[in-house]
Amino acid sequence: MSVLDEELHSAATAAAAGDREAVERVMTTLWPQVVRYCRTRVGNSTQVTRPADEVAHEALLAVARELPALARSDHPVREVYRVVSRTVADAHGSAVGSPDIPAEVAVLLRHLDATAREIVLLRVIDGLSVHDTAGLLGLPVGRVLVVQHETLRTLRAKVA
C-alpha cells in the first residue's frame, strides 16, 4: 500500500465512521488529483458542455458517497480513480483536450487506442504509479510498462 493509499484509507475509515474532519481531509487530499484528472480528460474549451472544475466537484461528491467502500479497500486510490473516471465518462465521454496538454500532444493522443491513451494519461499526466495504473485498468504491471514504453516511443517518433 502506498503512502497516499495509507493516508486515504485512514481518513476514509474515520470519515465512514462519521468524523467530519476526516471527510474534509479526504476531500482536501484528493482535490488536486481529481481536478488534474478532470482537466486532462475534459478540458475547458468552448466545445465542452460542462467545465472540468464542475465535473471535478461532481466527482468528489461521488467519492464522498463511496467513503465506506474506500475504507474497506486495500487500494483506495484505485477506487477513487474508478469513481472519478465513471463520473467523467458520464459527464463527457472519453474526451481528450486540456489546457494542461499542448494541442499538438492532444492530437497525437487522439490517435492512440483507448488503453494506450489511458496508460499515458494516468502514468505521465496524472503521475500514478505503475501498480495503481495496472490495478485501475485491470492489466498486469508488465503489460502497462510495455504499452507505456511502446506508446512513448511511437509518440517521440511522430514528434521528431
Side-chain angles (χ1 to χ4, degrees):
M1 195 181 283
S2 71
V3 173
L4 180 58
D5 272 327
E6 289 175 8
E7 180 182 337
L8 190 55
H9 184 268
S10 171
T13 301
D19 183 348
R20 294 222 179 260
E21 288 180 16
V23 173
E24 180 70 26
R25 218 171 43 244
V26 169
M27 296 302 122
T28 302
T29 300
L30 294 177
W31 177 249
Q33 288 94 348
V34 171
V35 168
R36 184 173 59 227
Y37 182 92
C38 291
R39 286 178 181 169
T40 302
R41 298 320 185 276
V42 175
N44 283 323
S45 72
T46 57
Q47 299 170 347
V48 172
T49 56
R50 293 175 49 211
D53 289 4
E54 183 179 316
V55 175
H57 280 284
E58 183 180 327
L60 275 181
L61 287 173
V63 168
R65 288 189 292 270
E66 297 292 328
L67 284 172
L70 292 179
R72 290 187 305 271
S73 175
D74 289 337
H75 300 283
V77 171
R78 294 178 191 172
E79 294 302 319
V80 167
Y81 271 89
R82 282 190 185 106
V83 170
V84 172
S85 67
R86 269 196 315 263
T87 305
V88 170
D90 291 347
H92 291 287
S94 60
V96 175
S98 164
D100 298 338
I101 300 176
E104 300 83 12
V105 175
V107 168
L108 290 172
L109 290 175
R110 283 191 193 102
H111 294 291
L112 298 174
D113 69 84
T115 302
R117 179 176 48 247
E118 196 63 19
I119 287 171
V120 169
L121 290 173
L122 289 171
R123 293 277 296 132
V124 177
I125 305 298
D126 293 334
L128 260 62
S129 72
V130 68
H131 295 287
D132 284 340
T133 301
L136 181 62
L137 299 177
L139 298 170
V141 170
R143 182 72 185 139
V144 170
L145 289 171
V146 168
V147 171
Q148 176 185 337
H149 173 74
E150 291 172 350
T151 303
L152 291 175
R153 185 180 51 193
T154 301
L155 290 173
R156 282 187 207 105
K158 287 184 179 187
V159 170

